[in-house]
Amino acid sequence: MNSFCEWDGDTLVLNILGQPNANRDVIGKPKGKQLQVSVTAAPVAGRATDHMVRFLAAEFAVSPSAITVVFGRFNINKQLRIRSPQDLPAVVAKHLAQQPLQLEL
């Protein structure tokens, strides 16, 4: 991936830099090829990742089962796949709008 997010058909692929034990759940700014996402949950046995999935499900207006953790369940560096997001947070929508349209031939 050349950025923190890209479309794969109707699935949005996100590279995440997670921050557990934050003061609040929030989608931050891009940092290189990752999107910063902070969550209040502690990084114990994957709980922070589970909490992040539930938080992002609400932000993208999908069920938590529509989000797959590709890698990084027990790490701050993660890749998530979100099937058919119904809503896009501003930082993601802005970034995707700036990307050149790729047509399949």
Side-chain angles (χ1 to χ4, degrees), residues 11-51:
T11 300
L12 183 64
V13 182
L14 284 176
N15 286 331
I16 302 287
L17 176 61
Q19 179 190 350
N21 289 327
N23 291 332
R24 61 189 177 117
D25 296 332
V26 66
I27 296 174
K29 296 180 180 180
K31 186 170 186 175
K33 294 185 180 180
Q34 294 178 301
L35 179 63
Q36 292 180 307
V37 177
S38 301
V39 294
T40 56
V44 177
R47 289 186 194 137
T49 299
D50 294 342
H51 183 85

Side-chain angles (χ1 to χ4, degrees), residues 71-83:
F71 63 79
R73 179 160 163 69
F74 302 106
N75 193 300
I76 62 171
N77 300 301
K78 306 174 186 311
Q79 186 175 83
L80 305 179
R81 295 177 61 86
I82 305 172
R83 274 189 330 272

